[in-house]
Amino acid sequence: HCPRDPSLEARPMRAPTRESREARAKRRRAELRTRAEDAGRDTFVDSSAPIARYFNATRTMLKQARVYQAEGRLSDAYVLYWRGVTFYADRVMKHARYCNLQGPVTQLKSSCQGEVIRATDTLKDLGEELERLYEVEEDKSDAEAAAA
């Protein structure tokens, strides 16, 4: 007769703690942010192309993020906000012509910067809202698992 390995014995299931749901919600939020930042950084910027194209691309991403947020598609909005902010900070600001702008492009740059700053403010609130939403989803999932 072989001795039983205690690690193979069935362990009683413990109900998930509040901290574990919060930790899972934070992890989901962090994964979204990482995915979005990677997408923003992976976008190629050609320094020989007009920089206005990239200002407009940033503004378009942020505009679509606002649409998603208004529609209640918070995860999509969060990803697109982060993608736009990261694209601007990591790509557009390194464009060869970023510091030497003249004419109407300077107004476009200023407008784009303002939108990016507002987006970073929105991201904090939206991230917290997403975490609360994820915690509610975890609660529902835990309740369904307990009922089954």
Side-chain angles (χ1 to χ4, degrees), residues 10-16 145:
R11 295 188 180 131
M13 293 284 294
R14 290 189 344 205

Side-chain angles (χ1 to χ4, degrees), residues 2 5 11 21 31 42 45 56 61 78 91 95 129 135:
C2 296
D5 183 355
R11 295 188 180 131
R21 285 191 294 281
E31 288 169 356
D42 290 345
V45 171
N56 287 328
M61 281 187 256
Y78 188 76
R91 294 291 182 231
H95 190 283
E129 188 175 350
E135 288 175 20

Side-chain angles (χ1 to χ4, degrees), residues 49-136:
I51 193 168
R53 174 184 301 170
Y54 300 113
F55 289 138
N56 287 328
T58 302
R59 294 177 74 198
T60 299
M61 281 187 256
L62 298 178
K63 180 180 178 182
Q64 187 61 45
R66 288 190 298 273
V67 169
Y68 286 157
Q69 187 176 11
E71 292 174 350
R73 297 171 56 185
L74 303 184
S75 293
D76 293 331
Y78 188 76
V79 166
L80 210 46
Y81 275 124
W82 268 116
R83 184 176 180 184
V85 167
T86 304
F87 174 69
Y88 185 82
D90 288 3
R91 294 291 182 231
V92 177
M93 290 179 70
K94 293 177 182 161
H95 190 283
R97 294 187 188 102
Y98 184 81
C99 294
N100 302 319
L101 300 175
Q102 296 175 359
V105 180
T106 56
Q107 290 175 337
L108 186 57
K109 173 187 173 184
S110 198
S111 171
C112 191
Q113 281 177 330
E115 287 189 45
V116 168
I117 290 167
R118 285 188 297 279
T120 58
D121 292 338
T122 300
L123 276 166
K124 182 179 185 286
D125 296 335
L126 185 57
E128 290 171 358
E129 188 175 350
L130 267 177
E131 280 186 27
R132 286 190 297 274
L133 177 69
Y134 291 158
E135 288 175 20
V136 168

